[in-house]
Amino acid sequence: MNLFSWIQLAFYLLVLLLLVKPLGTFMAKVHQGERTFLDRVLGPVERFIYRVSGVKPEEDMNWKTYAIAVMLFNVLGLLLVYVLQRLQAFLPLNPQGLGAVTPDLSWNTAVSFVTNTDWQSYGGEVTMSYLSQMLGLTVQNFVSAATGMAVLIALIRGIVRHTAKGIGNFWVDLTRSTLYILLPLAAVEALVLVSQGVVQTLSPYQTVSLLQPTVDANGNPVTEQVLAVGPAASQIAIKQLGTNGGGFFNVNSAHPFENPTPFSNFVEMLSILVIPAALVYTFGKMVGDTRQGWAILAAMTIIFVAFIALAVWAEQGGNPAFTAMGVDQVQSNINPGGNMEGKETRFGIVNSALWATVTTSASNGAVNSMLDSFMPLGGLVPLFMMQLGEIIFGGVGSGLYGMLAFVIVAVFIAGLMVGRTPEYLGKKIEAYEMKMAALMLLIPILLAKVGTAIAVIAPAGLATIWNTGGPHGFTEVLYAFSSTAANNGSAFAGLGANNPFYNTALGINMFFARYWLAVPALAIAGSLVRKKKVPASSGTLPTHTPLFIAWLIGVIMIVGALSFIPALALGPIVEHLMIFAH
Amino acid sequence: MNDLLYIGLSLLFFALTHGLIVVCERLMGDKP
């Protein structure tokens, strides 16, 4: 890595961290019902929404009512997106005349977008009509992120309030998250992306003449090309901001119409992590001690930086097989060097490896390079980031409530070690909270590993593993199930996933990974909210100190390593050893 | 036929999730 590589990484981190406090403060105000500068314009809209939908904003739900509201809203969204895709051939805004999406793919896509995963077993420009993209997928991009944020805020209220039953109103949290946070940020970002050349149109695909006509495989002259366009900018903005990741086009943010310039790349990368990172500060504000937020953010950032370094080092080191073929992989002023297979020259090594780490720390899953072409250790970074549970910043809302499960476990174990009842922010952590936290840690691990095991045994799973000559094919399957078990959505695209087996299996993964974590999170909120607040004493473990940060990192890494090192040893680790053995 | 299968699967999974909610509630001691 040269100096400019380090500067790019440092600049990205600096800008991200600078945005944490202002955005985090704003989001705290929104969720605490305090006045913001958007109230004058959006307040009447908010009240109108409550009036027409019959929502009583003053109603304070207990955790069970809140959880049922989350599920009802999501099941309706899932069915709507399913029906839209199945009927899209008969609906307007389909200038390319695309037919109905198959049932298994429709279901997989509906589950995917409703669960904030945005796993795509399809290429958008040849599968989805403009109406399906806008009314189905883009709407879910907003509300799935808002759902994650709502669950997080409910959990924070459970920590903050005491001897109470209510943890807020899901419909209010959903509305305020969408109206005051996601929509304004997405609108601004969409305009910035349009300024960079990201397409935003309802016109049909454009047929253009080739500058240099060619011939096809049969020798017939090819003089024209069809360029897929569409209302992409508006979808991409919320795709990144809401940690969704589902691209308008098949190659996602590697496509020049989705991500044309280094500046659009920087803006999109920043927008992937800005809300999850800022929500950690929001947490600190809402619990009345910003040191708590900074401590968790520090733990996240340390792990994040360590893995970026590994990814960049692995990719910049290049592929010895390419060297043997005479390919120059040495970095210079005119050569990015390293392993450029599957990467865009306008982004190079650093911005590809950085994006891969950002997108898999955030449960986003959008890609600006082909992860399947990464070096084994470079590909291990996004894989392991997801396997840690998408808690390094993580998804909007879901990242922090996942991280708080780790915090509960860390506090509990530390309490056992010193012989005191564990407590966190004034609330005793008891057996019930540990059971729920254990569910939140173990369910994604179970889904990833059991799914992978079934897929590499079942004939239907083996049939579309195209890389059969070594461990890479196994890694592709492990990646798919880890990605969906983490609601990430990125893929090692060498796996043929658009078939009933994978569409159904991965859909099951995404569903349970989302809702069987959200429910325990809300249950923890329901349990904590009824407890009394215990004043801190000399025996209380401080949870804002460097010691606790180190302890938390240790717990995260131990759980991740114990769970996945054996599987990683069968995939990327042995692949790395095989490549460098020659 | 496949549509019914996937819609049914969705409803089944949501029902199972509702079951999880009930189990969590019972573990909390809200119901006897």
Side-chain angles (χ1 to χ4, degrees):
Chain A
M1 271 178 39
N2 62 19
L3 178 63
F4 293 108
S5 303
W6 288 109
I7 290 174
Q8 284 186 85
L9 293 174
F11 183 66
Y12 174 80
L13 261 180
L14 179 68
V15 175
L16 176 68
L17 292 173
L18 283 175
L19 290 172
V20 158
K21 189 170 172 182
L23 181 59
T25 305
F26 173 75
M27 290 196 289
K29 283 189 168 158
V30 168
H31 288 299
Q32 290 176 305
E34 295 170 17
R35 283 198 68 80
T36 70
F37 69 97
L38 290 174
D39 277 25
R40 184 166 292 189
V41 173
L42 296 178
V45 178
E46 184 188 355
R47 289 186 288 278
F48 174 76
I49 290 171
Y50 298 149
R51 209 162 40 245
V52 300
S53 56
V55 167
K56 295 187 184 64
E58 66 281 359
E59 182 193 347
D60 200 17
M61 298 173 171
N62 62 32
W63 81 269
K64 186 182 172 187
T65 308
Y66 202 105
I68 291 173
V70 168
M71 296 312 300
L72 273 175
F73 181 75
N74 280 262
V75 73
L76 286 173
L78 195 162
L79 293 173
L80 174 67
V81 176
Y82 182 86
V83 166
L84 257 175
Q85 294 172 85
R86 295 292 291 137
L87 296 179
Q88 70 174 11
F90 310 108
L91 297 172
L93 292 176
N94 186 9
Q96 301 308 120
L98 297 168
V101 182
T102 60
D104 55 296
L105 180 58
S106 296
W107 187 75
N108 178 281
T109 305
V111 172
S112 174
F113 278 74
V114 163
T115 57
N116 198 245
T117 308
D118 286 30
W119 169 275
Q120 296 172 295
S121 294
Y122 64 89
E125 59 268 55
V126 297
T127 311
M128 298 290 172
S129 70
Y130 290 166
L131 185 73
S132 296
Q133 297 256 38
M134 291 192 298
L135 187 59
L137 309 186
T138 304
V139 166
Q140 287 305 317
N141 280 353
F142 280 97
V143 298
S144 66
T147 297
M149 212 183 308
V151 172
L152 170 67
I153 297 304
L155 176 56
I156 295 174
R157 288 195 195 103
I159 295 171
V160 171
R161 296 179 182 178
H162 53 92
T163 49
K165 275 206 158 165
I167 54 171
N169 185 308
F170 170 68
W171 307 114
V172 170
D173 293 339
L174 180 80
T175 305
R176 291 182 73 83
S177 298
T178 307
L179 202 55
Y180 288 86
I181 298 169
L182 295 170
L183 270 170
L185 285 173
V188 169
E189 181 170 349
L191 290 173
V192 170
L193 294 179
V194 165
S195 78
Q196 294 299 298
V198 177
V199 295
Q200 180 73 16
T201 178
L202 293 175
S203 301
Y205 295 175
Q206 303 292 297
T207 302
V208 297
S209 300
L210 291 175
L211 288 173
Q212 192 172 5
T214 183
V215 293
D216 65 16
N218 298 322
N220 301 315
V222 177
T223 58
E224 290 179 334
Q225 180 183 6
V226 175
L227 295 180
V229 292
S234 50
Q235 181 168 325
I236 289 147
I238 187 56
K239 152 191 154 183
Q240 310 297 26
L241 279 163
T243 63
N244 294 283
F248 196 92
F249 303 108
N250 192 18
V251 293
N252 209 278
S253 294
H255 197 293
F257 284 176
E258 275 207 31
N259 188 8
T261 66
F263 183 66
S264 66
N265 188 69
F266 182 80
V267 167
E268 291 188 34
M269 255 197 315
L270 197 63
S271 59
I272 292 173
L273 283 188
V274 74
I275 294 182
L279 277 172
V280 185
Y281 187 81
T282 302
F283 164 74
K285 281 291 276 188
M286 289 180 72
V287 300
D289 183 359
T290 54
R291 298 175 305 174
Q292 303 297 331
W294 287 124
I296 293 177
L297 194 66
M300 291 173 170
T301 307
I302 290 168
I303 297 175
F304 179 68
V305 168
F307 278 104
I308 290 175
L310 176 58
V312 173
W313 171 80
E315 294 309 302
Q316 197 69 69
N319 189 333
F322 291 166
T323 307
M325 286 191 258
V327 175
D328 180 9
Q329 296 183 92
V330 176
Q331 188 181 29
S332 70
N333 287 341
I334 57 168
N335 186 3
N339 172 32
M340 278 298 292
E341 181 194 311
K343 295 182 179 63
E344 298 292 303
T345 52
R346 66 186 182 284
F347 303 140
I349 296 286
V350 172
N351 281 302
S352 301
L354 174 59
W355 183 297
T357 315
V358 163
T359 197
T360 49
S361 67
S363 103
N364 179 281
V367 292
N368 74 347
S369 59
M370 297 302 110
L371 300 182
D372 209 12
S373 292
F374 272 44
M375 297 300 294
L377 292 187
L380 183 148
V381 167
L383 179 53
F384 194 55
M385 292 294 266
M386 299 186 300
Q387 290 169 343
L388 287 177
E390 291 296 17
I391 49 160
I392 310 302
F393 308 112
V396 170
S398 57
L400 184 52
Y401 68 67
M403 175 60 101
L404 287 171
F406 273 96
V407 169
I408 286 173
V409 169
V411 164
F412 189 81
I413 297 174
L416 289 177
M417 290 199 290
V418 300
R420 297 280 307 222
T421 305
E423 52 191 76
Y424 183 58
L425 300 178
K427 299 288 180 74
K428 285 198 194 302
I429 302 299
E430 294 171 305
Y432 185 80
E433 287 77 38
M434 269 306 292
K435 285 176 193 163
M436 296 298 113
L439 274 180
M440 292 173 72
L441 264 59
L442 292 174
I443 284 173
I445 294 169
L446 198 71
L447 290 169
K449 296 208 290 189
V450 170
T452 303
I454 292 171
V456 296
I457 294 171
L462 290 167
T464 53
I465 300 175
W466 307 127
N467 277 295
T468 54
H472 198 72
F474 172 78
T475 306
E476 288 171 347
V477 179
L478 177 64
Y479 196 99
F481 283 92
S482 299
S483 172
T484 49
N487 292 130
N488 181 274
S490 59
F492 270 19
L495 178 68
N498 188 10
N499 52 66
F501 175 81
Y502 279 108
N503 279 333
T504 309
L506 296 174
I508 291 171
N509 251 31
M510 291 186 277
F511 182 94
F512 287 100
R514 180 71 162 176
Y515 302 116
W516 284 48
L517 265 67
V519 166
L522 290 169
I524 291 173
S527 175
L528 291 178
V529 79
R530 59 183 59 189
K531 296 189 184 201
K532 288 192 291 244
K533 218 169 175 71
V534 176
S537 68
S538 56
T540 304
L541 173 74
T543 50
H544 61 278
T545 57
L547 176 63
F548 182 75
I549 294 168
W551 175 237
L552 179 60
I553 292 173
V555 169
I556 292 167
M557 297 307 294
I558 288 170
V559 171
L562 285 176
S563 304
F564 287 104
I565 289 281
L568 293 171
L570 290 175
I573 294 174
V574 75
E575 193 183 347
H576 168 79
L577 293 172
M578 284 169 67
I579 287 179
F580 285 90
H582 300 297
Chain B
M1 174 65 190
N2 278 335
D3 289 321
L4 286 177
L5 172 69
Y6 283 109
I7 291 171
L9 208 59
S10 308
L11 296 173
L12 170 66
F13 290 161
F14 278 98
L16 286 173
T17 309
H18 187 263
L20 175 67
I21 294 172
V22 170
V23 166
C24 291
E25 187 185 32
R26 291 224 168 117
L27 283 173
M28 199 186 292
D30 275 5
K31 279 194 175 170

